[in-house]
Amino acid sequence: MVHDFNPRTLSYWVINKTGFEIGGPSPTTWGELGIYEAATNVDVTNFASTTLWEKKLIDNSPFIWKSRRKGTQYIRDAVNLNGITDNSYDFVFGSHALEHIANPIKALLEWLRILRSGGLILLILPFKAKTFDHNRAIVTIEHLLSDYRDQVDESDLSHLDEIVRLHDLTMDPPAVLVLGGIGYWVVLVLVGIGIGIGIGIGWYWYWYWYWVLVLGIGIGIGTGIGIGFGIGIGIGIGIGIGYWYWVLVLGIGIGIGTGIGIGIKYVKLNNLKSHI
């Protein structure tokens, strides 16, 4: 086992080696850590051709990293790497993948099967206290062994009630939980109100068109968490100069701005496996 307290030096351990990634690619983790550049070849696998993070993957197609082929893209379940030969990789790695697998011991044994003697398994796993599952108890080794002996797979829903009941939505606002078709009201940031400055055309009592600077207030509607963007028409008062004296003019302008608002939206999740 390698204990590396500086994650950015992890790439040292895979220089000129061949790797196999579970659930990749992961540009914001392994990519930032230089794993793809350091290795000579990296093959990746996903459990389906369409996932939340990628679309229209093709089995046995090229895996492209930074405009060049780095390896092969496979469509395989993490617990059944069918067609991948034994002892064929120097390292196996995955970012936030193992904790989503119903039978982790079966997965680890499968990863060891394709790993050469003396190889490495590199895993990035969540810190429980900082996740939306922090209210749930840690699974015991005995439970994991029981799942392995019983050949539990992804169709197992024995923990569904616990997941729904203890899921901390305050740490996972986009999550949509549904059981038996019943949804939940979730507070999301939906409306952004922006105040911007625009140029308006003013009119004063000499019937002369005059340009003035006016404020425009815009309201933008979003569908998720974040900063709302608004474009709207606002009416403002401007001061203009008319022949040697000041006059009060009325102008109409367009303002563009950003802001944060709060809204409520009814949402529900049809695929628990994709989000939990």
Side-chain angles (χ1 to χ4, degrees):
M1 179 179 291
V2 176
H3 294 276
D4 197 325
F5 294 97
N6 183 1
R8 293 198 173 277
T9 65
L10 278 176
S11 58
Y12 167 80
W13 300 99
V14 302
I15 293 175
N16 297 326
K17 297 185 182 297
T18 60
F20 189 91
E21 183 177 9
I22 306 296
S26 309
T28 59
T29 51
W30 301 124
E32 291 293 326
L33 294 172
I35 299 298
Y36 300 123
E37 282 81 3
T40 56
N41 185 87
V42 173
D43 295 337
V44 299
T45 187
N46 272 299
F47 67 90
S49 59
T50 298
T51 66
L52 289 177
W53 57 93
E54 286 194 288
K55 309 293 182 185
K56 299 180 180 179
L57 296 176
I58 300 175
D59 186 38
N60 206 34
S61 62
F63 163 48
I64 306 298
W65 176 254
K66 291 188 175 179
S67 302
R68 67 186 184 92
R69 178 166 184 163
K70 195 66 186 183
T72 301
Q73 169 75 63
Y74 292 103
I75 307 297
R76 300 284 191 283
D77 194 308
V79 301
N80 182 15
L81 302 175
N82 180 43
I84 309 299
T85 57
D86 297 354
N87 310 312
S88 52
Y89 295 94
D90 298 311
F91 67 103
V92 174
F93 62 117
S95 175
H96 295 281
L98 183 63
E99 71 273 15
H100 293 282
I101 298 173
N103 198 330
I105 292 180
K106 184 177 181 180
L108 287 169
L109 291 174
E110 182 71 348
W111 303 350
L112 287 170
R113 177 185 68 79
I114 67 173
L115 196 63
R116 294 191 180 105
S117 177
L120 295 172
I121 292 182
L122 303 176
L123 299 175
I124 296 177
L125 300 170
F127 181 52
K128 179 178 181 288
K130 300 296 183 180
T131 72
F132 45 69
D133 277 332
H134 64 90
N135 291 321
R136 299 176 64 194
I138 295 176
V139 178
T140 64
I141 292 295
E142 290 76 14
H143 187 109
L144 295 177
L145 289 172
S146 175
D147 284 347
Y148 175 70
R149 287 192 298 267
D150 296 339
Q151 292 297 292
V152 169
D153 59 23
E154 300 301 324
S155 64
D156 176 55
L157 296 179
S158 58
H159 297 286
L160 179 59
D161 179 68
E162 176 191 359
I163 291 170
V164 173
R165 179 167 42 86
L166 299 179
H167 193 95
D168 187 350
L169 284 174
T170 65
M171 299 183 69
D172 187 24
V176 186
L177 303 180
V178 63
L179 181 60
I182 300 175
Y184 296 80
W185 285 95
V186 180
V187 176
L188 298 174
V189 176
L190 297 176
V191 179
I193 299 178
I195 298 178
I197 296 176
I199 297 295
I201 297 178
W203 181 279
Y204 68 83
W205 67 281
Y206 275 110
W207 297 91
Y208 176 82
W209 286 106
Y210 198 90
W211 291 95
V212 293
L213 195 64
V214 298
L215 290 179
I217 299 177
I219 297 179
I221 302 217
T223 58
I225 297 176
I227 296 177
F229 179 76
I231 298 178
I233 296 178
I235 299 177
I237 300 296
I239 298 293
I241 298 177
Y243 297 110
W244 305 112
Y245 52 85
W246 294 87
V247 294
L248 193 63
V249 297
L250 179 65
I252 298 177
I254 295 178
I256 300 176
T258 60
I260 297 178
I262 297 177
I264 297 178
K265 183 181 180 181
Y266 183 76
V267 285
K268 69 179 183 176
L269 176 67
N270 294 320
N271 188 351
L272 282 169
K273 178 175 180 282
S274 299
H275 292 262
I276 297 173

